[in-house]
Amino acid sequence: MLFQIYGSTSGTQLLGWLMVFVGLILLNEIARRTKIGGIAILVVIPIILTIYFIAIQCGAFGGHSNQTYEYMNGWFHYFKLYAATIGCIGFMMIKYEWGIGKSHWFKAWPFVIVAANILIAVVSDLESAYHAFQVTGDLSGAWWASNEGVFLYGGWWNILNALAGVLNIFCMTSWWNVYSSKDRKDMLWPDMTVWFILAYDVWNFQYTYANLPTHSWYCGVALLLAPTFANALWNKGGWIQNRANTLAIWCMFAQVVPLFQLSENFSVLPSLYKGATGSALDLYDKAIAVYQSGTNTANEVVAGMGITANPIPQGVVSILALAINVIVLAVIIKRAKAAHINPYKADVFVGTKDFVEAEARRA
C-alpha cells in the first residue's frame, strides 16, 4: 500500500482526490478550448495572484499569518507556479501562432521547459540523497527536514530516480515537430506518445512520492492522471499541453489554499510514515521547527512521534522508474537506427496508434 487511506477520514480523503482530479480536467478543458478561457486562467488569474502574493508580503490579507505565507512561502513553490505558467503561455503562443510562436525555432520551447523542470526535480532528488549521506555516511536512508516543512527520508532511491529523470529528458523526441491542431484548441506533439507519457508519469510520481510525500496523493496521483486521462480519451497528442495547464492550475490552488492538503480531513500520508497518527499539518509544524533550528534532529523528532520509516515503496517505484526509462530510451534508439534518423530532429513513432491519431489532428 502506497498511502495510508483508512479510518474515519478515508471517505474525505477519497472525495478530496476526486474533487482535485475532476476539477483539474474541467479547468484544463476551459483553458484549452477557447482563447478567452486560456487567457483568463493562465494569464489574468496569475496576474491577480501575483498582486495578492506581493500584498501578503507587504502585510495585507493577514500578512505573515496568511496561510500562503505561513505554509507556501518557499522559493520552490513560487518557482514551480511561474515556471508552469510561463510554459503554458509559450504553448498558447505556438497554438495560436502569436509572435515568436510562428517561428520554427520556438517549437523547441516545449522541450526546453519540460527538460528544465525535470532537471530541477533531479536536483531535488540528489539534495535528499546528500542530506541522508551526511547523517549516515552512506545511502541506506535517513530523515531530514526540508525548508517546505516536510520530513524527507533520503537514500539510494533518490539516486536511481535522479538517473531516471536524466534519461527521461532523452526520451523526448522530435523536438521541433510541434503543431497547432486544426480546431486551434491544442498544441500537439505527435511523437510524444504513450511511451514517453508512461516513462514520465512513473518517474514523476516517484519524485513527488520521495520529495513531496505529504502532497503526493494529489500532486503525484490526481495531477499526473488528469492530463494522461484526457490524452488517452479525447485529446490525443495534447498531453504536454494538458500537463502544463493542470500543473499551473494545481500550483495556483495549492499556493492559495495550502491547508486543503495539510488539514486532517483531506490530508493523506504515504506509507513512508509508518505509525503516524496525526495529519500532514502535525508533521509540518515539527519539520519546520527542525529546519529553523539549523540542526538536523529529524531522526530523533520523527522517532519521538512513534514513526518508523518504511522506504520499501520508494525503493520499488524508483527501480521501476529507472527500468521503464531505460526500456523507452532503448526503443527510441532501436527505432531511430532502423529508420536512419536523428530521434531529436525527426519523428520516431511514425505508424504507431498514438502518433497516427495525433498527426490526423494537425492543422
Side-chain angles (χ1 to χ4, degrees):
M1 192 100 174
L2 293 170
F3 295 96
Q4 300 182 48
I5 305 174
Y6 46 77
S8 60
T9 60
S10 60
T12 52
Q13 290 171 329
L14 294 171
L15 176 62
W17 187 94
L18 185 63
M19 289 192 299
V20 170
F21 178 71
V22 173
L24 289 173
I25 289 176
L26 292 177
L27 288 171
N28 176 53
E29 289 302 302
I30 294 172
R32 63 171 276 264
R33 287 178 179 272
T34 66
K35 289 182 183 179
I36 293 176
I39 292 172
I41 292 177
L42 302 170
V43 179
V44 176
I45 292 178
I47 290 173
I48 293 172
L49 289 182
T50 299
I51 296 171
Y52 174 67
F53 298 147
I54 293 173
I56 291 172
Q57 300 294 327
C58 295
F61 300 107
H64 292 191
S65 62
N66 185 290
Q67 59 178 287
T68 293
Y69 186 94
E70 189 171 356
Y71 299 105
M72 301 290 281
N73 202 45
W75 70 269
F76 177 80
H77 299 296
Y78 284 108
F79 182 89
K80 288 298 291 184
L81 190 161
Y82 289 106
T85 303
I86 290 170
C88 293
I89 293 171
F91 295 174
M92 283 199 296
M93 292 174 71
I94 294 173
K95 178 170 70 171
Y96 296 122
E97 297 183 342
W98 292 338
I100 57 174
K102 300 176 184 177
S103 304
H104 179 72
W105 66 266
F106 192 69
K107 288 187 175 183
W109 173 248
F111 166 77
V112 171
I113 198 71
V114 175
N117 275 275
I118 291 174
L119 285 175
I120 293 167
V122 167
V123 171
S124 293
D125 263 317
L126 294 177
E127 179 188 22
S128 191
Y130 171 74
H131 281 289
F133 184 83
Q134 282 189 313
V135 175
T136 62
D138 56 37
L139 295 172
S140 59
W143 292 104
W144 64 284
S146 74
N147 63 346
E148 280 89 36
V150 183
F151 285 117
L152 302 177
Y153 197 73
W156 57 266
W157 39 88
N158 294 106
I159 300 294
L160 291 191
N161 205 54
L163 291 173
V166 172
L167 292 181
N168 194 244
I169 293 174
F170 292 97
C171 289
M172 284 187 285
T173 56
S174 195
W175 299 346
W176 286 272
N177 291 351
V178 176
Y179 315 97
S180 177
S181 63
K182 294 174 185 177
D183 56 13
R184 288 295 191 271
K185 290 180 180 178
D186 299 297
M187 183 197 75
L188 304 176
W189 191 343
D191 216 44
M192 186 168 274
T193 65
V194 67
W195 286 94
F196 175 79
I197 295 170
L198 177 63
Y200 178 93
D201 279 359
V202 176
W203 161 76
N204 193 262
F205 170 75
Q206 168 59 12
Y207 161 70
T208 62
Y209 196 71
N211 298 280
L212 300 166
T214 56
H215 298 179
S216 58
W217 175 238
Y218 298 106
C219 70
V221 183
L223 177 56
L224 279 174
L225 287 181
T228 301
F229 183 80
N231 181 84
L233 296 185
W234 65 81
N235 191 7
K236 191 67 71 177
W239 177 84
I240 190 60
Q241 175 191 259
N242 299 339
R243 167 60 178 166
N245 287 356
T246 52
L247 177 59
I249 292 165
W250 169 253
C251 287
M252 290 182 231
F253 173 77
Q255 197 73 5
V256 176
V257 195
L259 288 178
F260 171 80
Q261 55 190 331
L262 292 176
S263 62
E264 183 176 354
N265 288 335
F266 296 109
S267 168
V268 178
L269 297 177
S271 58
L272 170 67
Y273 301 104
K274 185 178 179 181
T277 56
S279 66
L281 188 58
D282 298 320
L283 292 172
Y284 175 89
D285 291 336
K286 292 181 172 59
I288 204 69
V290 170
Y291 173 78
Q292 292 174 347
S293 72
T295 57
N296 188 2
T297 57
N299 284 285
E300 293 81 2
V301 172
V302 170
M305 289 188 285
I307 298 173
T308 55
N310 176 24
I312 293 176
Q314 291 187 160
V316 171
V317 180
S318 65
I319 292 171
L320 184 61
L322 181 59
I324 290 174
N325 275 277
V326 167
I327 292 170
V328 171
L329 188 57
V331 169
I332 290 169
I333 293 171
K334 181 180 179 180
R335 292 182 67 96
K337 282 186 174 181
H340 304 289
I341 59 172
N342 180 332
Y344 304 113
K345 291 183 177 180
D347 294 317
V348 173
F349 293 99
V350 175
T352 63
K353 183 177 182 291
D354 276 8
F355 184 92
V356 170
E357 291 182 6
E359 188 74 6
R361 301 181 63 208
R362 272 183 59 180

